[in-house]
């Protein structure tokens, strides 16, 4: 049995029993990275020297009161700012940002828990994409079959956990970017309620949609990591000032009386038969566990992708205006005037998907088109939000697949941006409504690729999501399966 | 059916401060046209009386006291700049 088969709680017990040290955990992480990351390509930047030094110090001062995350090796998506540790957003425009000036709030919070940052994880450039093929560094591969994509945009974060390179990671989710790669890689990924986790230091893509969230192997670990990063933050004025429950207390193996809503739109045509079968089997399992489920309708689901891409791209076009070649990041070598310096620096620094979305957003916000596209999309956002409000008056959670299909092959969809966008049909509504949602493993396709079950909750009801997810996880063994990689682990 | 012209694409690229080649204008004209056509789907919905959502939580203006705090220093703020002189960011000349 490898160290990566234990939960954070079990590892913490081993630390205190002196069976293992923090240095052992950190060594195991880098050993595994050396063994498999040539294939998986999950990391952009490693933090090896500093992490090993930190591990030594943590071993010396381990006390009885240590947090459950004490000394645990974590990977961080590369759009979360880490002081002194290169942060690129997988973009050439930030390739030279080797010495960022501050830590994101979530990084400060992890520092309080004394986790060890192993490195920065690959992603679609500026979190724009669903396959991690839009990284300017490498195509991260799916650990279950390296011909396949890991999903995206947090593809590195999900693949590193699935491959056993880190014990857990942070990702970010704007339209599915935690849940979709978690589904493709067979791990647990939560997008928290909008406002639950501070966005300070998360490089902004679409500010009304972005949330940072945990990616782990188990639901229990996920609850522990979420607990560490939530809370009101003065540095993020959209951060919510709400009472934080103890998420671990929600982990009871009991869903008797739970009322599940299953939107018929989430199991309609376009959803792969194997995915549908796995979700229906999961619902049967919930029945056995004492929950009830009924089919409902979210009638505006089919409009979510169009509304999402207009809104997210509009916000991105404004947010990415800050990359101007003046204060940090890339500046063109060409000797040109001021305006052309902006244009050339941005043309050289951004990849095509980012340019496409900046152009789409600039168009949707431009004079003469604002009402027809941007404002229209905001109104449709209201309808999508109301769909969920109606359902949540009568049900505790909404359940469906996370993605219409399992992972696809590298290169299969990258030349067809619109098809790639429409695949986000099951995840984008959750961001538009600001709701929390998790993806947990619920089966495998005949090709051996993981299938994800999506559980959506009410605003700030992460506890109900964890309770629902944990009951299923404990009654099944999908989360104990490991990809056969680097000789198996 | 919405159409996007090459001229519109060039106009948008200028607004977005992105240099584009002729080939890229061709590509973006095609791709943005496809995406905008897809977005026409939203016009199936009558949204006359629907209020737009800018933000999902019911937050109003968020205020805090305007007090000085420890933050990055001027030297730190300059250290990642591509070009600087005398403690200031240096840019290409704006005036002839």
């Amino acid at each position: 049995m490898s160290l990566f088969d234990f939960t954070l709680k079990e590892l913490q017990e081993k630390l205190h029993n002196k069976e293992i040290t923090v240095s052992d955990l950190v060594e195991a992480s880098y050993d595994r990275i050396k063994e498999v990351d040539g294939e998986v390509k999950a990391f952009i930047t490693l933090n090896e020297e500093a992490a090993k030094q930190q591990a030594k110090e943590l071993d010396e001062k381990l006390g009885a009161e240590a947090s459950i995350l004490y000394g645990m090796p974590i990977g961080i998506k590369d759009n979360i700012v880490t002081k002194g540790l290169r942060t690129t957003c997988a973009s050439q425009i930030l390739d030279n940002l080797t010495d960022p000036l501050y830590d994101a709030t979530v990084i400060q919070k992890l520092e309080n828990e004394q986790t060890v940052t192993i490195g920065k994880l690959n992603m679609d450039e500026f979190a724009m994409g669903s396959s991690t093929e839009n990284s300017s560094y490498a195509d991260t591969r799916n650990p279950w079959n390296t011909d396949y994509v890991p999903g995206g945009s947090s593809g590195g974060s999900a693949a590193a956990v699935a491959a056993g390179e880190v014990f857990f990671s942070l990702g970010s989710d704007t339209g599915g970017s935690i849940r979709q790669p978690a589904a493709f890689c067979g791990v647990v990924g939560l997008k928290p309620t909008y406002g639950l986790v501070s966005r300070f230091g998360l490089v902004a893509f679409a500010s009304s949609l972005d949330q940072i969230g945990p990616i782990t192997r188990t639901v229990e670990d996920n609850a522990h990591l979420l607990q560490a990063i939530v809370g009101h933050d003065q540095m993020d004025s959209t951060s919510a000032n709400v009472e934080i429950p103890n998420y671990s207390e929600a982990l009871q193996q009991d869903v008797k009386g739970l009322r599940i809503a299953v939107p018929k739109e989430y199991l309609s045509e376009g959803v792969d038969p194997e995915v549908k079968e796995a979700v229906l089997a999961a619902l049967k399992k919930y029945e056995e566990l004492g929950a009830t489920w009924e089919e409902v309708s979210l009638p505006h689901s089919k409009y979510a992708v169009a509304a999402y891409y207009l809104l997210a791209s509009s916000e991105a076009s404004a947010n990415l205006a800050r990359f101007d070649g003046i204060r940090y990041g890339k500046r063109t070598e060409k000797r040109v005037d001021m305006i052309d310096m902006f244009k050339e620096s941005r043309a050289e620094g951004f990849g095509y998907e980012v340019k496409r979305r900046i152009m789409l957003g600039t168009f949707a916000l431009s004079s003469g088109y604002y009402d027809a596209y941007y404002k229209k999309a905001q109104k449709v956002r209201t309808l999508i939000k109301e769909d969920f409000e109606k359902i949540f008056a009568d049900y505790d959670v909404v359940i469906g697949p996370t993605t219409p299909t399992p992972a696809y092959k590298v290169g299969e969809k990258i030349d067809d941006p619109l098809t790639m966008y429409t695949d986000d049909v099951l995840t984008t509504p959750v961001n538009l409504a600001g709701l929390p949602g998790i993806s947990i493993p619920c089966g495998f396709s005949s090709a051996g690729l993981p299938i994800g079950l999506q559980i959506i909750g009410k605003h700030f009801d992460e506890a109900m999501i964890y309770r629902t997810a944990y009951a299923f996880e404990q009654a099944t063994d999908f989360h104990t399966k490991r990809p056969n990689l680097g000789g198996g682990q | 059916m919405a159409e996007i012209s090459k001229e519109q694409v060039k106009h948008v690229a200028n607004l977005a401060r992105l240099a584009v080649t002729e080939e890229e204008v061709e590509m973006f004209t095609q791709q943005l046209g496809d995406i905008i056509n897809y977005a026409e789907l939203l016009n199936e919905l009558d949204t006359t009386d629907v209020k737009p959502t800018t933000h999902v939580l019911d937050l109003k203006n968020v205020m805090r006291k305007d007090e000085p705090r420890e933050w990055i220093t001027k030297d730190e703020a300059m250290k990642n700049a591509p070009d600087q002189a005398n403690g200031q960011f240096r840019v290409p000349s704006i005036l002839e």
Side-chain angles (χ1 to χ4, degrees), chain A residues 303 343 352 356 369 382, chain B residues 8 14 24 31 44 51 53:
Chain A
Y303 303 102
K343 289 185 181 177
Y352 279 128
R356 196 153 36 237
Y369 298 98
T382 304
Chain B
Q8 275 177 302
N14 179 51
E24 287 167 349
Q31 291 174 340
E44 289 179 15
K51 275 173 62 178
T53 295

Side-chain angles (χ1 to χ4, degrees), chain A residues 190-196 219 223 226 230 240 242-247 249-251 258-259 391-398 430 433-438 455-470, chain B residues 57:
Chain A
L190 177 92
K191 182 207 92 78
T193 306
Y194 183 83
L196 185 67
V219 174
L226 182 71
V230 294
V242 291
E243 202 171 315
I244 305 294
N246 183 341
Y247 298 113
E249 282 173 9
L251 304 177
L258 183 84
R259 297 164 304 166
I391 298 300
F392 278 127
D394 298 317
Y395 298 90
D396 300 308
V397 290
V398 170
V430 176
L435 298 166
I438 202 169
I455 305 167
I456 304 163
K458 299 173 190 172
H459 286 133
F460 301 110
D461 203 5
E462 279 76 5
M464 182 66 82
I465 290 182
Y466 281 137
R467 178 181 158 198
T468 308
Y470 187 72
Chain B
L57 302 179

Side-chain angles (χ1 to χ4, degrees), chain B residues 30-81:
Chain B
Q30 172 71 43
Q31 291 174 340
L32 292 182
D34 287 351
I35 295 166
I36 290 295
N37 265 326
Y38 174 72
E40 297 292 324
L41 185 67
L42 300 185
N43 290 327
E44 289 179 15
L45 295 169
D46 179 3
T47 52
T48 322
D49 298 323
V50 179
K51 275 173 62 178
T53 295
T54 52
H55 195 276
V56 287
L57 302 179
D58 203 17
L59 280 176
K60 300 283 179 282
N61 286 335
V62 178
M63 302 295 196
R64 63 167 168 77
K65 285 209 174 107
D66 187 17
E67 293 167 333
R69 276 183 296 167
E70 287 287 313
W71 189 232
I72 55 174
T73 64
K74 185 174 171 188
D75 284 347
E76 284 172 334
M78 299 305 297
K79 76 181 175 186
N80 291 313

Side-chain angles (χ1 to χ4, degrees), chain A residues 263-430:
Chain A
K264 62 179 185 201
E265 292 82 4
Y266 284 30
L267 290 171
S268 64
E269 43 180 322
V271 174
D272 181 280
E274 289 186 330
V275 171
K276 187 171 173 176
E277 203 180 305
V279 171
L280 291 174
L283 291 169
K284 196 152 189 288
K285 179 61 74 178
Y286 275 114
E287 279 177 15
E288 287 167 27
L289 295 169
T292 56
W293 68 274
E294 283 175 323
E295 193 175 275
V296 299
S297 177
L298 294 170
H300 297 97
S301 297
K302 73 168 181 171
Y303 303 102
V305 167
Y308 169 81
Y309 276 93
L310 288 171
L311 294 173
S313 301
S314 296
E315 294 185 28
S317 72
N319 275 325
L320 272 62
R322 64 170 58 90
F323 300 101
D324 56 9
I326 294 179
R327 292 152 300 154
Y328 52 85
K330 184 181 183 64
R331 179 185 294 192
T332 182
E333 303 277 323
K334 290 180 188 160
R335 295 185 62 84
V336 286
D337 70 13
M338 180 80 169
I339 299 293
D340 282 334
M341 186 276 283
F342 293 145
K343 289 185 181 177
E344 295 292 340
S345 300
R346 289 161 63 79
E348 292 171 18
F350 291 137
Y352 279 128
E353 184 60 32
V354 174
K355 288 179 187 173
R356 196 153 36 237
R357 297 205 199 182
I358 290 175
M359 301 267 289
L360 175 64
T362 306
F363 172 77
L365 292 173
S366 67
S367 173
Y369 298 98
Y370 181 90
D371 282 350
Y373 295 107
Y374 182 69
K375 201 165 178 189
K376 180 80 183 182
Q378 284 187 319
K379 289 180 165 193
V380 174
R381 183 176 187 178
T382 304
L383 298 175
I384 289 165
K385 192 175 165 230
E386 287 171 355
D387 278 358
F388 279 107
E389 282 164 7
K390 281 177 204 146
I391 298 300
F392 278 127
D394 298 317
Y395 298 90
D396 300 308
V397 290
V398 170
I399 289 186
T402 309
T403 58
T405 68
Y408 41 86
K409 281 194 170 153
V410 174
E412 197 175 316
K413 296 191 179 179
I414 193 66
D415 294 325
D416 186 1
L418 188 55
T419 303
M420 191 98 94
Y421 294 177
T422 53
D423 278 353
D424 296 338
V425 56
L426 305 175
T427 46
T428 49
V430 176

Side-chain angles (χ1 to χ4, degrees), chain A residues 122-143:
Chain A
N122 200 21
M123 54 187 280
D124 286 296
E125 184 178 358
F126 286 105
M128 297 177 188
S130 312
S131 65
T132 314
E133 291 167 288
N134 294 326
S135 166
S136 76
Y137 295 103
D139 299 339
T140 298
R141 299 304 175 108
N142 193 313

Side-chain angles (χ1 to χ4, degrees), chain A residues 430-444:
Chain A
V430 176
N431 300 77
L432 290 170
L435 298 166
I438 202 169
S439 180
I440 59 171
C442 75
F444 291 88

Side-chain angles (χ1 to χ4, degrees), chain A residues 1 7 154 209 222 228 272 308 430 437 464 482:
Chain A
M1 220 170 163
T7 63
S154 310
L209 302 161
N222 206 276
D272 181 280
Y308 169 81
V430 176
M464 182 66 82
R482 299 284 179 258

